[in-house]
Amino acid sequence: MKARARGRNGQRSAGFTILCPVIRAAQLTHEKFDAHWRDNHGPIHIASSPGTCHYEQLSARSIAGAEHSGWDGVGLLSFASADDWKNGLFDGPEGQRAIFEDIPRFLRLDRGETLPASEFVFRDDS
């Protein structure tokens, strides 16, 4: 939903990414969770988090014969710097409130976690 320049050929991308494995709220089917995450939460996050330079939602799908992790998806929130993360995660109290009020509508709060990560992209540019 937000894009940024990424590393190439094994070079580390600038900044860092927070991985957010997510599990849907008990009252939602995966399809309803996915629709809310994409159509409601995504736009709220983009409008309320100016420090996020890349925001991506990866929705988990069941595949016949594959074991499922129990996650419904993984959010990727990237920041150009630690300062952008600390000072730009929210655009202020109203943006923080909008995000925090929306989260329990579609996520299980007791199962949430965030994992800081560095990104190394490998691709053939030929």
Side-chain angles (χ1 to χ4, degrees), residues 27-121:
Q27 74 273 16
L28 299 178
T29 64
H30 178 79
E31 291 73 21
K32 288 187 180 200
F33 150 82
D34 192 42
H36 184 93
W37 191 24
R38 180 186 62 245
D39 301 332
N40 295 87
H41 190 74
I44 291 170
H45 180 91
I46 289 169
S48 303
S49 183
T52 306
C53 65
H54 182 90
Y55 177 69
E56 191 170 346
Q57 298 171 342
L58 305 174
S59 182
R61 298 286 183 230
S62 296
I63 300 172
E67 196 170 319
H68 192 276
S69 70
W71 296 346
D72 286 280
V74 177
L76 305 176
L77 288 72
S78 297
F79 303 88
S81 68
D83 189 54
D84 285 352
W85 172 59
K86 285 190 271 185
N87 299 314
L89 180 57
F90 305 110
D91 62 355
E94 289 181 23
Q96 183 176 8
R97 188 172 32 260
I99 288 174
F100 285 172
E101 285 178 356
D102 189 52
I103 287 172
R105 293 179 183 137
F106 73 106
L107 293 181
R108 280 190 57 181
L109 298 176
D110 64 325
R111 298 287 305 274
E113 60 182 308
T114 58
L115 309 165
S118 295
E119 177 186 69
F120 295 84
V121 177

Side-chain angles (χ1 to χ4, degrees), residues 12-25:
R12 184 181 181 278
S13 296
F16 65 95
T17 297
I18 304 286
L19 306 174
C20 302
V22 294
I23 298 172
R24 73 181 181 271

